[in-house]
Amino acid sequence: WTGANAAKAAKDPWEGDVDSVILDSSNFTSYIKSQKLVMVEFYQSHCGHCRQFAPHYAKAATILKEDGIPIAKVSLDNPANHPFAQQFQISGFPTIRIFKDTYDSDKNNP
């Protein structure tokens, strides 16, 4: 790769994403349980589809944040996060999972 193609490939597609919540094995469970609704992306940084999706996900995070809906992401590059792949049956990337009312036992009170 040379010139513009090399610069484009090297650009970090996650740069500037200030509204997605970064989750990992140390904070995942507590964060999910603290929210009524969370959309979580599981990704790997070398995945081409993940890299193409990153700016769109960041834009969604900014838009949905205004409505009080948190958007989060988990990098499966980190070995400590690998157990999530089996736990949430992740076999391809990116994978999106919705976590809703995981802490709320009163389904009559949305």
Side-chain angles (χ1 to χ4, degrees):
W1 293 53
T2 60
N5 287 337
K8 186 175 180 182
K11 185 178 186 307
D12 181 353
W14 293 275
E15 184 180 327
D17 181 0
V18 297
D19 292 318
S20 294
V21 177
I22 307 295
L23 299 178
D24 60 29
S25 60
S26 70
N27 64 357
F28 184 88
T29 301
S30 62
Y31 186 79
I32 296 298
K33 287 184 176 184
S34 74
Q35 305 296 317
K36 284 194 175 251
L37 176 71
V38 182
M39 183 166 69
V40 179
E41 174 195 15
F42 296 88
Y43 71 96
Q44 289 187 318
S45 63
H46 67 275
C47 164
H49 295 294
C50 299
R51 296 179 72 81
Q52 290 176 340
F53 184 61
H56 303 287
Y57 196 71
K59 184 175 181 179
T62 300
I63 292 167
L64 292 173
K65 181 180 179 179
E66 295 173 6
D67 292 328
I69 300 171
I71 301 296
K73 58 188 176 184
V74 176
S75 171
L76 291 181
D77 292 340
N78 179 346
N81 295 335
H82 288 180
F84 291 130
Q86 183 175 0
Q87 182 179 358
F88 300 115
Q89 301 171 352
I90 298 167
S91 60
F93 298 100
T95 294
I96 305 294
R97 293 285 187 259
I98 304 294
F99 296 88
K100 183 180 183 304
D101 294 327
T102 56
Y103 74 92
D104 190 357
S105 60
D106 183 2
K107 299 300 179 192
N108 295 318
N109 185 16

